[in-house]
Amino acid sequence: MVYINLLLAYLKIGLFGFGGGYAMLSLIQHEAVDMIHIGETAPWLTLQEFTDIVAISQMSPGPIGINSATYIGYKVTGNIWGSALATVAVCIPSFILVLLVGRYLLRNRENIYVKAIFNALRPIVVGLIGSAALLLMNKENFPDYTISVAICVASFVLVRYAKLHPILIIILAGISGLILY
């Protein structure tokens, strides 16, 4: 039953996860942390485990939605088949939609209805990404908000005004977090 639950959950996430991996995070959290699936006695992950998965998925090469699907599939089933199932299931809806809709959109991209649909999707995607940001603002990620806000503001100032390279800022922020936490 766990494989069916995993398949259905990740098909749903793949189908409704407009805006990429960060927009999917709230859907993934709902399915993995907040929901108890049919035939199961507990959610798949705790909030701490989910936070760890998000961190690992961000550090790993590739899209965060696919990386987290791979890890959660393995965690839930304990084997590579669950990992592969979740990874494929999250990709299938997008792949099929692109195949079906891609040619139509190319031919009709100047159509007022197509433009209206894309204009309506933009704020939805921004909202989903904002939701992911709020979702990640928890005690597991930010034990002390004042330190986190200070690192964020310092990072912004150094990139914006001192014109330091973002990779250097990421390294400095990581070292600061390590020292201050």
Side-chain angles (χ1 to χ4, degrees):
M1 191 66 184
V2 70
Y3 290 98
I4 293 170
N5 289 336
L6 198 60
L7 175 69
L8 294 176
Y10 273 98
L11 283 173
K12 186 177 3 173
I13 290 166
L15 186 61
F16 296 109
F18 298 109
Y22 289 103
M24 287 180 181
L25 284 180
S26 59
L27 295 170
I28 295 169
Q29 183 192 12
H30 174 73
E31 292 292 331
V33 177
D34 301 335
M35 194 168 167
I36 298 175
H37 296 272
I38 297 170
E40 298 180 25
T41 58
W44 291 335
L45 304 170
T46 65
L47 186 56
Q48 178 64 49
E49 289 172 322
F50 178 73
T51 301
D52 293 343
I53 288 171
V54 170
I56 291 167
S57 297
Q58 288 175 326
M59 292 186 305
S60 304
I64 190 170
I66 294 172
N67 290 345
S68 63
T70 304
Y71 184 82
I72 292 171
Y74 186 83
K75 170 85 171 65
V76 170
T77 62
N79 60 51
I80 197 167
W81 300 113
S83 183
L85 177 69
T87 303
V88 170
V90 79
C91 294
I92 285 175
S94 300
F95 180 73
I96 292 171
L97 284 172
V98 167
L99 283 178
L100 295 176
V101 178
R103 178 171 262 160
Y104 173 79
L105 288 178
L106 284 175
R107 280 187 277 143
N108 297 299
R109 65 178 161 229
E110 297 302 320
N111 183 303
I112 61 170
Y113 299 110
V114 171
K115 285 183 177 182
I117 289 169
F118 280 106
N119 286 335
L121 284 175
R122 284 187 187 114
I124 293 170
V125 169
V126 170
L128 287 170
I129 293 171
S131 169
L134 292 174
L135 175 89
L136 295 173
M137 290 183 188
N138 55 38
K139 290 181 183 175
E140 286 79 15
N141 281 332
F142 299 102
D144 183 357
Y145 284 110
T146 55
I147 293 172
S148 300
V149 169
I151 292 171
C152 179
V153 169
S155 298
F156 176 77
V157 168
L158 289 172
V159 168
R160 177 82 172 148
Y161 299 108
K163 305 290 187 204
L164 293 180
H165 197 278
I167 292 176
L168 177 61
I169 298 302
I170 290 170
I171 293 167
L172 292 174
I175 292 169
S176 301
L178 186 63
I179 292 168
L180 296 173
Y181 287 115

